[in-house]
Amino acid sequence: MNGSLRDAARAVERRIALACERSGRLREEVNVIAVTKYVPLSRAVEAIDAGYRNVGENRWQDAKEKWEALEGREDVVWHFIGHLQTNKVKDVLGRFAVIHSLDRPSLAEELQKRAEKLGLVVPCFVQLNVSGEPSKHGLAPDDVPAFLAKLSEYGSLDVVGLMTMAPHEDDPERTRPVFRRLRELRDEANAQGAYRKPLTELSMGMSNDFEVAVEEGATWIRLGSVLVGKEEG
Ligand SMILES: *Cc1c(COP(=O)(O)O)cnc(C)c1O
């Protein structure tokens, strides 16, 4: 059973503030995406009304009902955070403002083609598999420079940063090397001028590990269970 969202938000905000303090960062540098994939529409609306206007979903099929109910709410910014199949691009483009899971050339090509047709410029994160776990989606870090060079030619995509998911660890401290590596990879790409402009953003950190991610430079943290809650079944 989920408790009050405002109570959860108060606790989460305090933890973010402390992580910022520990690492000498400003709270305004960290954006929170309320991940609503585990909850029904009513709970998503509660999150939005509590001030979390950045909403994340990872599958169009699951997001559809909520998206349609909230269509026209100009204050809501939809983030697509899950693995994106090429044949789902047509469902997601124009509905989700930001794509966090750009992880392969074929997807980039499809996004570019359709975004251009729609006259959109789509902010994207390149998703990396930093930990190398075979079960995880994401580009291998070694492939980043070539991918970013290719993406520099795609005028309808606006790559703003890198995204990763850390392996689940009982001790969140153990995720630190993954988040640190993502930051280094972004800084290296910028130093090499790998993309047509500097990448400023890092989308990293979930319920279990967001404080470590904030300490390592996250600018977008994606919070489901700890903030919005999670319904069983
Ligand atoms: C589900 C999901 C989240 C949020 O998960 P929690 O651990 O509940 O915070 C964040 N990012 C992605 C990519 C997800 O799929």
Side-chain angles (χ1 to χ4, degrees):
M1 200 53 210
N2 290 315
S4 145
L5 194 138
R6 282 181 195 272
D7 287 346
R10 208 169 296 123
V12 162
E13 288 298 331
R14 168 136 185 92
R15 290 170 63 186
I16 296 171
L18 289 172
C20 285
E21 217 172 282
R22 283 194 295 277
S23 49
R25 300 188 64 206
L26 298 173
R27 171 64 186 88
E28 304 88 86
E29 297 170 13
V30 182
N31 299 283
V32 175
I33 298 172
V35 177
T36 53
K37 69 185 188 202
Y38 303 121
V39 299
L41 171 66
S42 57
R43 190 72 171 178
V45 169
E46 259 189 86
I48 295 162
D49 290 345
Y52 296 97
R53 51 195 294 275
N54 291 288
V55 172
E57 284 277 342
N58 69 339
R59 284 161 54 99
W60 168 241
Q61 300 92 298
D62 301 339
K64 189 168 186 283
E65 195 189 320
K66 281 168 253 182
W67 188 90
E68 285 173 349
L70 291 164
E71 190 179 0
R73 276 202 57 166
E74 306 256 321
D75 56 332
V76 180
V77 181
W78 290 88
H79 295 254
F80 195 85
I81 62 175
H83 180 64
L84 183 51
Q85 290 168 269
T86 308
N87 65 0
K88 294 288 170 8
V89 166
K90 60 180 182 321
D91 297 323
V92 163
L93 270 191
R95 293 189 171 119
F96 286 77
V98 186
I99 309 284
H100 288 248
S101 47
L102 175 50
D103 63 354
R104 59 194 191 279
S106 59
L107 177 61
E109 207 176 301
E110 179 70 8
L111 281 167
Q112 163 64 26
K113 196 177 77 190
R114 292 200 176 257
E116 191 175 13
K117 227 176 260 170
L118 294 170
L120 297 172
V121 176
V122 185
C124 296
F125 288 81
V126 171
Q127 181 176 356
L128 301 187
N129 183 354
V130 174
S131 64
E133 283 179 292
S135 62
K136 286 239 176 342
H137 291 290
L139 192 77
D142 285 349
D143 297 336
V144 169
F147 192 45
L148 287 174
K150 184 80 200 155
L151 288 169
S152 294
E153 300 164 14
Y154 288 174
S156 300
L157 305 184
D158 176 26
V159 179
V160 295
L162 304 180
M163 180 276 211
T164 201
M165 287 173 83
H168 180 89
E169 299 283 359
D170 290 329
D171 175 7
E173 184 57 35
R174 295 181 60 127
T175 62
R176 190 177 298 278
V178 170
F179 297 141
R180 184 168 294 171
R181 187 72 194 123
L182 195 74
R183 169 162 50 85
E184 289 168 355
L185 285 162
R186 178 197 61 183
D187 294 347
E188 286 163 19
N190 288 342
Q192 295 161 0
Y195 189 58
R196 62 178 184 245
K197 64 170 204 187
L199 308 179
T200 55
E201 308 300 313
L202 292 172
S203 171
M204 59 187 195
M206 305 173 27
S207 290
N208 189 54
D209 52 25
F210 68 93
E211 289 149 300
V212 178
V214 167
E215 288 170 11
E216 292 301 328
T219 61
W220 295 86
I221 56 178
R222 309 178 306 266
L223 302 181
S225 34
V226 76
L227 175 65
V228 196
K230 185 169 184 170
E231 301 219 327
E232 305 303 327

